[in-house]
Amino acid sequence: MDRSEIVTDDSVEFVRQADGRWRWHARTAAAADLLGIARDAPSMLSFKTEMEAAADVAVHAHAERDATGRHVMTRDYLRRMISAIALPCASCADVYFGGVYWHQRDSSGANWGVAIMDGSGDFDGCLECVASAREELRRLYSVVDEG
């Protein structure tokens, strides 16, 4: 599959949700493999516009893969993903995530974590709310190895 054609062919569909936000879905096995998502599954994040969703597809399509098969993303990208996942969590109101930091790969193969948060919100409740999504992100994405 030509990475430059991923957004313009039928291998990815952009779906507008009831709330007006957009998600992308890989509709072919080749696109699912390239983008690191199950076929027909929605993107982890939703986007304000179809163009933002298309830009996210391009980021995934062009991302390098590490030896574990994870997409290598920037720390800022991962921090923004975590912050976006936390938005609908009531316990995350007034909780701010710090930066993403690199560490040696752990037993699951992940090589990053999120620095201590700030704000006056419910830290424990927020961490519980985003825990499964954070672990899914750690399963799918890496940062550049520094060691």
Side-chain angles (χ1 to χ4, degrees):
M1 168 171 290
D2 185 343
R3 293 176 184 198
S4 64
E5 295 176 4
I6 189 91
V7 175
T8 59
D9 66 14
D10 292 334
S11 62
V12 175
E13 181 181 7
F14 299 96
V15 177
R16 189 171 198 164
Q17 304 174 131
D19 65 2
R21 294 184 63 86
W22 292 84
R23 288 189 188 266
W24 53 264
H25 300 249
R27 295 301 189 202
T28 66
D33 183 57
L34 177 66
L35 300 172
I37 192 168
R39 185 176 178 180
D40 295 325
S43 55
M44 284 191 77
L45 297 180
S46 64
F47 302 89
K48 290 180 186 175
T49 67
E50 186 176 12
M51 284 302 281
E52 288 177 355
D56 192 60
V57 168
V59 167
H60 281 78
H62 291 82
E64 292 183 28
R65 297 278 186 120
D66 67 12
T68 69
R70 290 171 167 87
H71 283 96
V72 178
M73 298 294 195
T74 66
R75 293 174 186 193
D76 184 59
Y77 181 86
L78 294 172
R79 185 196 54 74
R80 286 184 290 129
M81 287 187 79
I82 292 168
S83 294
I85 288 166
L87 279 176
C89 298
S91 57
C92 291
D94 199 37
V95 171
Y96 304 97
F97 292 92
V100 170
Y101 62 89
W102 173 86
H103 60 67
Q104 292 288 338
R105 292 195 185 269
D106 59 25
S107 61
S108 69
N111 73 344
W112 61 272
V114 181
I116 297 172
M117 302 174 296
D118 195 10
S120 60
D122 176 5
F123 294 156
D124 291 336
C126 183
L127 286 174
E128 183 178 325
C129 184
V130 301
S132 64
R134 186 193 70 209
E135 288 309 307
E136 181 68 4
L137 292 174
R138 287 171 37 86
R139 187 182 70 73
L140 295 171
Y141 303 110
S142 287
V143 295
V144 173
D145 273 317
E146 298 176 5

